[in-house]
Amino acid sequence: EVQLVESGGGLVQPGRSLRLSCAASGFTFDDYAMHWVRQGPGKGLEWVSGISWNSGSIGYADSVKGRFTISRDNAKNSLYLQMNSLRAEDTALYYCAKGRSVGWGTPSWFDPWGQGTLVTVSS
Amino acid sequence: QSVLTQPPSASGTPGQRVTISCSGSSSNIGSNIVNWYQQLPGTAPRLLIYSNNQRPSGVPDRFSGSKSGTSASLAISGLQSEDEADYYCAAWDDSLNGHWVFGGGTKLTVL
């Protein structure tokens, strides 16, 4: 069974940093691109970032570009999101999701999703 | 404001057929596949429809998707109480070096 488990969320002050992790199991991790998608409280889904199977290609939403860094460790079957210069508007439930194939672009879809880890940015 | 436009709400009675629309542009829906996600209350989203009209294993055939031009639709026939959820469309957008975009979501209420 494919499983994605996020961790690392918490309460952080504006301007500070946080690192999220996603532990993957049940599939050959380095055969697939991975993504981070977030959902603000009471809001819709927003794609944050995607990374190809070998980290050779990476993309970010404009809202996080220059502040967030996605990475992966295929030896540890893990995905990460380093979040710097956090803002109140970054408050959200952060999901990791598996892509369809090696690249993070189209054609693809997000399946499955983890249960998410909550990040709250507040003073 | 979301790049893809969905109605904020939809409703129907058990057994009815409901349709949820998703409107985009030539840079997203017009030139790329559309996927749909279902989010039951308090749970993570799950893939419902991929590649415009394909159902993953385990998704009932009551759910169907279609695409025409720069718009897409999700249809649910034989509506059931357990279908009450938020539904999101998503597509790749070719602009700005490429990125993924979602609709704002449609909350489906089963009356």
Side-chain angles (χ1 to χ4, degrees), chain B residues 16-37:
Chain B
Q16 268 191 331
R17 181 178 188 272
V18 297
T19 300
I20 296 172
S21 62
C22 175
S23 177
S25 68
S26 59
S27 65
N28 41 67
I29 293 178
S31 51
N32 296 294
I33 61 170
V34 176
N35 305 313
W36 290 88
Y37 300 90

Side-chain angles (χ1 to χ4, degrees), chain A residues 48-121:
Chain A
V48 173
S49 182
I51 185 169
S52 65
W53 69 284
N54 64 352
S55 305
S57 179
I58 286 173
Y60 298 98
D62 282 350
S63 58
V64 307
K65 199 172 294 183
R67 300 187 299 122
F68 290 11
T69 302
I70 191 172
S71 62
R72 63 190 295 163
D73 185 336
N74 288 345
K76 295 183 178 179
N77 289 349
S78 293
L79 175 71
Y80 306 101
L81 186 67
Q82 177 67 43
M83 304 185 295
N84 299 332
S85 303
L86 283 162
R87 307 167 180 167
E89 53 265 37
D90 295 320
T91 294
L93 189 59
Y94 284 74
Y95 297 101
C96 73
K98 172 179 163 288
R100 179 190 75 91
S101 62
V102 296
W104 62 273
T106 198
S108 187
W109 41 87
F110 309 134
D111 180 49
W113 301 53
Q115 286 305 302
T117 186
L118 181 62
V119 173
T120 303
V121 184

Side-chain angles (χ1 to χ4, degrees), chain A residues 10-18 84-88 120-123:
Chain A
L11 174 63
V12 61
Q13 294 179 328
R16 303 299 289 264
S17 300
L18 204 61
N84 299 332
S85 303
L86 283 162
R87 307 167 180 167
T120 303
V121 184
S122 174
S123 54

